[in-house]
């Protein structure tokens, strides 16, 4: 979409209402994201406890995850839209002998 076309789009009459709804949604989302990461930390703590991982080992794990190549991993969070691979279709039954 070009800049000119974008500038010609009509604005709704209730921009202030829409903006307030957007901000409320963002605030709710921030709370949900915070709750998600809190739950992840609780799960990490539970796993550390179950396997008897010492604080020194926990620090080593955190340090290792922060260095290459593990720091290049990209987490897929529930709120992020990922790239979907196209469905693969077969013209005939590929499992038939």
């Amino acid at each position: 979409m070009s800049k000119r076309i974008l500038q010609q789009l009509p604005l709704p009459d209730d921009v202030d209402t829409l903006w307030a709804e957007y901000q409320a949604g963002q605030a709710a989302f921030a709370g949900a994201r915070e709750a998600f990461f809190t739950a992840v930390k609780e799960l990490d703590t539970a796993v550390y406890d179950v396997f008897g991982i010492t604080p020194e080992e926990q620090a080593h794990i955190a340090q290792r995850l922060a260095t290459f190549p593990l720091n290049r991993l990209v987490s897929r969070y529930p709120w992020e839209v990922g790239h979907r691979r196209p469905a693969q279709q077969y013209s005939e039954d590929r499992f038939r002998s």
Side-chain angles (χ1 to χ4, degrees), residues 2-54:
S2 70
K3 180 180 175 181
R4 186 177 59 88
I5 292 173
L6 185 63
Q7 290 175 341
Q8 291 175 349
L9 290 174
L11 289 176
D13 295 330
D14 58 346
V15 173
D16 294 331
T17 304
L18 290 174
W19 182 248
E21 288 178 19
Y22 172 78
Q23 288 179 319
Q26 288 293 350
F29 176 70
R33 184 182 347 205
E34 185 177 320
F36 175 83
F37 285 117
T38 300
V40 168
K41 287 179 184 178
E42 290 173 1
L43 285 170
D44 285 345
T45 302
V47 169
Y48 291 152
D49 291 344
V50 166
F51 287 102
I53 297 174
T54 66

Side-chain angles (χ1 to χ4, degrees), residues 64-95:
R64 184 65 186 102
L65 288 172
T67 58
F68 184 80
L70 297 177
N71 66 341
R72 299 287 191 243
L73 297 174
V74 179
S75 300
R76 286 190 276 169
Y77 297 112
W79 57 84
E80 293 178 350
V81 178
H83 173 65
R84 289 188 176 196
R85 296 185 313 186
Q88 190 169 5
Q89 299 177 355
Y90 299 94
S91 58
E92 56 188 56
D93 187 358
R94 63 188 183 129
F95 297 110

